Amino acid sequence: MFQTGDWVVKANTGLCRIENIAPLDETSNTLYYTLIPTDEKSRLLIPVDRAGSSIRRVLTAPEAWELIRSIPEIPQTAVENEKQREQCYRTALKSNDPKKLIAVIKALYLRGEARNTRGKCRNVMDESYFRMAEDFLYSELAYAIGCDKGNIPELIAEELGKAEEN
């Protein structure tokens, strides 16, 4: 069980702080986590006894660095059927798995670059999933490493550059 003040990652939401753990009212025996997403514009209530699949602890700094270093080995998300592309991306975001977020980011980045090469604009749906996956992943990595979220893309590029040199 998590504690008040803990930072967790919620599927389809990203990085959140646990503000409170309490029943909804005096007559209820069910405990709820009150989660505050990093944008602080909302509050989410998650029953403690059903939170196992939807929230997880935040990566530690060593885990975050290891994940960043493993990016080249993580294959991009393969979409067998173009009509099922959105469902594939939605499932990856819902999985709450940082490696799956990287796989989606890689797939959408490469797809966008291919479209640009052909003189086409990036697909709006792809761009939306790309931004969500980046936001979820970069927020967690920034928290784990202790830096600003805006610095994460450069930090990843530097780490991957070091790996290529070796």
Side-chain angles (χ1 to χ4, degrees):
M1 188 163 134
F2 298 107
Q3 304 299 316
T4 300
D6 285 351
W7 285 86
V8 295
V9 180
K10 183 185 177 310
N12 287 330
T13 304
L15 188 64
C16 298
R17 181 179 48 83
I18 297 178
E19 181 182 61
N20 194 20
I21 305 169
L24 290 179
D25 58 43
E26 301 88 37
T27 62
S28 174
N29 290 333
T30 304
L31 291 176
Y32 286 82
Y33 292 120
T34 303
L35 304 179
I36 309 296
T38 53
D39 66 13
E40 296 188 2
K41 294 179 182 174
S42 60
R43 286 180 165 45
L44 306 168
L45 294 172
I46 309 291
V48 169
D49 60 350
R50 288 187 265 152
S53 63
S54 66
I55 64 174
R56 64 171 172 78
R57 68 175 179 78
V58 177
L59 294 172
T60 63
E63 291 169 336
W65 286 113
E66 180 58 36
L67 179 67
I68 290 169
R69 290 183 192 108
S70 73
I71 288 173
E73 289 82 46
I74 298 171
Q76 66 176 324
T77 298
V79 179
E80 301 294 325
N81 180 333
E82 282 295 312
K83 292 182 182 202
Q84 295 174 342
R85 195 163 32 96
E86 183 176 10
Q87 181 59 40
C88 182
Y89 299 151
R90 187 180 302 127
T91 300
L93 267 63
K94 190 176 180 181
S95 75
N96 208 10
D97 180 343
K99 287 184 179 180
K100 289 185 180 176
L101 293 178
I102 291 169
V104 166
I105 291 168
K106 287 173 91 170
L108 291 172
Y109 174 80
L110 294 171
R111 181 175 161 81
E113 289 299 301
R115 288 181 66 87
N116 282 342
T117 301
R118 293 190 313 263
K120 293 185 174 186
C121 294
R122 292 181 184 255
N123 178 297
V124 173
M125 179 195 67
D126 286 357
E127 192 66 25
S128 174
Y129 280 99
F130 182 76
R131 295 289 165 230
M132 280 190 286
E134 272 192 326
D135 184 52
F136 295 164
L137 180 67
Y138 293 178
S139 294
E140 180 175 11
L141 291 175
Y143 178 82
I145 294 169
C147 72
D148 185 73
K149 182 172 91 171
N151 296 336
I152 293 295
E154 182 180 326
L155 200 147
I156 289 172
E158 285 175 18
E159 280 299 312
L160 296 180
K162 290 178 193 174
E164 287 177 3
E165 291 173 5
N166 295 334

